[in-house]
Amino acid sequence: MELELRHLRVVAAVAEHGRIPVAAAALGVPTATLGSEVGRIERALGCILFRHRGDEVTCTAVGERVVARARTVLEELALLREDVRSQRSGDSPLRITSDSLRYFTSFVSHTYATDIRRPLLPVPPLAGGTATDAIADGRVDVAVVIALDADRREEQVRPTIGERVIVEREPLLVALSATHPLAAQRCLDIRDLAREDWILPPTEVDPGSEATAAVLARLGVTLHSSYGPHDLGPLWPAVVAGRAMSFAVPTASAPPGGVLRPLCDQPITARRILRWRLGALDDEDVERCVRAAGSAYREQLTHTAQTQGWWPTARSEEKPTLAH
């Protein structure tokens, strides 16, 4: 006998109620039928799932493991059905996020300002994994991600995800202490920074490490990091104190004692991309999200980047290029 979902419901119900008659009533079947079904399931699995004491039953050790797995499968099935039902109804909340907490707030605000027809459910930047992974596995519907420009030929296109480029070219900066000798320079050569300790990679730029490693390998540069991947925000004190450096996006804001400097010849660039789960929203709402993402980025440039010390002396190629 092959196990079916109804068998999983049986073992879950028996374990939950602890009495065959009560479980039978909950499942809407005769007590004798349920007792026979439990026996067939145990023979199919080749193990005893329950100890019987009159009408009362308790799980054996292997029974506890089987029941736990059964509940997981049934819960996942319920979530799948709810997800399908929500998508069909067209009125479920649109879950939106981004890789950057600072940008996330602005993106959410500008999305609310559109005439988007769906209710919004903002999801703060996720710890662990990437926003693109979160779209693929159904945790969010829309995200603005920062994608490092490694070799684009290696970039895998996921058939279930759509994308539109918001910022075509976003040269990365270096965050360092204002007292560092190199802070006096207009731009920094990455080869001069190999002996520094790095916060690598900052999670908003590269939640994993593969893209950063690929870019640095292409440049023939090895950077030392005793910090590992972290959000730059909480570690600005280490940067200000001169204990570390970090890459930063142009919309970052340096606190007192910290500065941002462009990299000479812009060896490391990124793109900011709106990605969404295909089928989660219609074409009109995609356009609304694209407009909101672009407006949020322009707001960040105006109120943050253009107020930083590096901006007035930066060359045009050292500044972001928005997509048209």
Side-chain angles (χ1 to χ4, degrees):
M1 181 183 77
E2 293 292 332
L3 286 183
E4 301 175 6
L5 284 173
R6 61 188 178 90
H7 299 135
L8 302 184
R9 294 190 180 97
V10 165
V11 297
V14 171
E16 177 183 357
H17 295 288
R19 290 169 57 90
I20 294 292
V22 179
L27 293 171
V29 299
T31 299
T33 300
L34 181 59
S36 299
E37 187 79 325
V38 170
R40 285 192 291 272
I41 295 170
E42 289 179 329
R43 287 192 294 274
L45 291 174
C47 60
I48 301 299
L49 302 180
F50 302 103
R51 301 184 190 93
H52 297 260
R53 291 183 180 177
D55 288 339
E56 294 185 359
V57 294
T58 57
C59 291
T60 63
V62 68
E64 289 179 351
R65 294 197 295 272
V66 171
V67 168
R69 294 287 184 88
R71 286 171 174 162
T72 298
V73 172
L74 293 172
E75 288 169 1
E76 287 295 325
L77 178 62
L79 290 173
L80 174 62
R81 286 175 171 167
E82 177 60 24
D83 185 57
V84 172
R85 185 203 64 78
S86 297
Q87 294 305 319
R88 286 177 176 174
S89 69
D91 58 359
S92 60
L94 189 67
R95 299 163 297 175
I96 65 174
T97 190
S98 77
D99 283 342
S100 165
L101 182 58
R102 175 183 291 272
Y103 177 82
F104 167 72
T105 304
S106 184
F107 175 47
V108 170
S109 175
H110 281 272
T111 306
Y112 272 120
T114 69
D115 57 347
I116 195 164
R117 294 186 292 269
R118 298 268 294 281
L120 297 180
L121 179 60
V123 178
L126 304 160
T130 67
T132 303
D133 291 333
I135 295 173
D137 62 27
R139 284 178 288 158
V140 299
D141 303 306
V142 180
V144 178
V145 303
I146 302 170
L148 284 182
D149 281 332
D151 187 348
R152 291 194 189 180
R153 292 172 298 178
E154 298 177 359
E155 189 172 314
Q156 295 181 351
V157 178
R158 305 196 191 195
T160 60
I161 296 178
E163 70 172 42
R164 291 274 293 276
V165 176
I166 305 301
V167 182
E168 184 62 45
R169 189 170 180 274
E170 193 170 15
L172 294 195
L173 310 176
V174 174
L176 69 161
S177 171
T179 62
H180 195 290
L182 294 176
Q185 299 185 15
R186 193 195 66 80
C187 69
L188 306 180
D189 189 322
I190 194 169
R191 291 167 294 186
D192 295 336
L193 309 177
R195 295 183 179 179
E196 304 290 340
D197 198 359
W198 284 77
I199 301 167
L200 188 70
T203 51
E204 73 169 4
V205 174
D206 181 11
S209 60
E210 295 83 1
T212 299
V215 171
L216 294 175
R218 185 182 64 192
L219 297 172
V221 174
T222 300
L223 299 180
H224 168 71
S225 175
S226 59
Y227 290 86
H230 289 284
D231 180 21
L232 172 59
L235 288 181
W236 261 114
V239 174
V240 170
R243 296 196 299 270
M245 289 185 175
S246 177
F247 293 123
V249 293
T251 53
S253 177
V259 296
L260 298 166
R261 292 290 179 266
L263 283 165
C264 300
D265 301 320
Q266 307 83 57
I268 306 178
T269 60
R271 293 178 299 154
R272 205 164 289 217
I273 304 169
L274 179 83
R275 287 178 174 157
W276 67 94
R277 185 161 50 88
L278 294 176
L281 64 169
D282 60 27
D283 291 345
E284 292 183 356
D285 281 346
V286 168
E287 294 302 324
R288 292 182 177 95
C289 289
V290 168
R291 292 198 302 271
S295 296
Y297 192 82
R298 284 188 287 272
E299 178 181 75
Q300 296 258 297
L301 285 181
T302 301
H303 296 294
T304 303
Q306 294 177 17
T307 66
Q308 301 297 300
W310 67 273
W311 185 272
T313 59
R315 298 169 179 168
S316 59
E317 63 270 19
E318 294 169 343
K319 298 178 179 180
T321 303
L322 274 74
H324 298 293

